[in-house]
Amino acid sequence: MGWREVLEVQTALVGSLRGFLVSRGFLEIMPVVVAPATDPLWPDSASSPRPVSFEYAGGRLFLTQSMILHKLAAVGQGLDKVFAFSPNVRLESAERAATGRHLLEFVQLDFEVAGAKMDDIMALVEEMVARAVEGVRRMASEALGRLGAWPEVPKRPFERMTLEEVRAEFGEVWEEEASRAMDEPFWVTDIPREFYDLEEPPGHFRNYDLIWPRGHGEALSGGEREWRPWRIEERLNGVAREVVGPFLELARSGLLRPSAGAGLGIERFLKFLLDADRVEDVRLFARVPGRVPPL
Ligand code: ASN
């Protein structure tokens, strides 16, 4: 693929996403890259990476794995609708290169809405995705033509399945298999996940993943949020506790509010739009798991 064309499509995509959120009253916050707390991404799976950290000024700072803690803190401060395009650093194992969907560093559009419920965010995402594809077709039509790609605007509403249903139909490698079997983006809901996704009723989670069709896999994940400090405490494991200390303090001080939101992978969206084989085909200066990049 020619980088000029790929970047023309990427520029149209990022512009459309930003324009859509701004038109809905969101405020953009700058990405945080180093912080005394970050997303523990736990439990994700056995291959869940540990955050990169270093000592600084007598304290420990982490490289951002996602902006979840900071967007929840921003909402807690009274900012009702926020988003950020943020670099996320995740030390994926070398085996993860085989998925064609993982990078050591990627950009996530993370957004959060005070008082929102999962249906609000799912409807917002469906509209944002449709508008973004329209925007790309309008703003980058020449580049798309040169790349031989003409993405269809997804049909709304997107289908919904629970994790239990999708597993029953497609087995343990459901993300791969279901994504390959579908022609439209679809939702998977009720996924056991980190302490910040609301578990209600017990054993069920008010959260969701959006999956791209045609084998492109996970696009976005999000949920309604846990804001009660005692519940956060109960759900933290040892790993998470080491990484989220200052966030726990915020929760204990009553500085969190109910909210819902999600995070969308930019490189994966581009991979889907261009029907690329691998995420590094659409990311200039890609950091592929298990390799030292040339520059
Ligand atoms: N951004 C995701 C969310 O909003 C969290 C993540 O990336 N792990 O839930």
Side-chain angles (χ1 to χ4, degrees), residues 203-214:
H204 290 280
F205 295 81
R206 299 203 40 97
N207 61 12
Y208 33 84
D209 275 2
L210 180 70
I211 312 293
W212 293 126
R214 295 189 291 283

Side-chain angles (χ1 to χ4, degrees), residues 107-119:
V107 174
Q108 179 162 206
L109 169 56
D110 241 320
F111 55 94
E112 198 69 21
V113 181
K117 299 292 181 198
M118 58 190 282
D119 285 337

Side-chain angles (χ1 to χ4, degrees), residues 39 41 66 68 71 90 108 110 196-197 221-223 225 261-263:
D39 186 344
L41 296 178
S66 92
I68 182 85
K71 64 181 185 174
R90 299 182 182 178
Q108 179 162 206
D110 241 320
Y196 48 74
D197 281 1
S221 67
R225 309 306 179 181

Side-chain angles (χ1 to χ4, degrees), residues 214-235:
R214 295 189 291 283
H216 292 289
E218 185 190 331
L220 162 149
S221 67
E224 288 178 25
R225 309 306 179 181
E226 183 56 71
W227 77 101
R228 299 162 298 183
W230 56 274
R231 242 341 245 152
I232 292 178
E233 288 269 12
E234 277 175 357
R235 291 181 56 201

Side-chain angles (χ1 to χ4, degrees), residues 33 38 41 49-52 63-66 86-92 103-106:
V33 178
T38 193
L41 296 178
R50 295 290 180 103
V52 184
L63 297 190
T64 293
Q65 296 205 117
S66 92
S86 84
N88 290 187
V89 177
R90 299 182 182 178
L91 283 198
E92 305 289 359
L103 294 173
L104 295 190
E105 182 190 334
F106 69 97

Side-chain angles (χ1 to χ4, degrees), residues 267-294:
E267 291 87 348
R268 289 183 179 184
F269 200 153
L270 210 50
K271 176 178 183 284
F272 163 68
L273 288 173
L274 300 178
D275 202 23
D277 287 340
R278 305 186 55 83
V279 75
E280 58 266 36
D281 296 340
V282 299
R283 171 69 201 247
L284 189 61
F285 306 127
R287 274 68 179 108
V288 178
R291 278 192 228 155
V292 174

Side-chain angles (χ1 to χ4, degrees), residues 5 9 140-150:
E5 287 79 12
V9 177
S141 58
E142 266 186 46
L144 287 173
R146 272 181 268 137
L147 293 167
W150 196 244

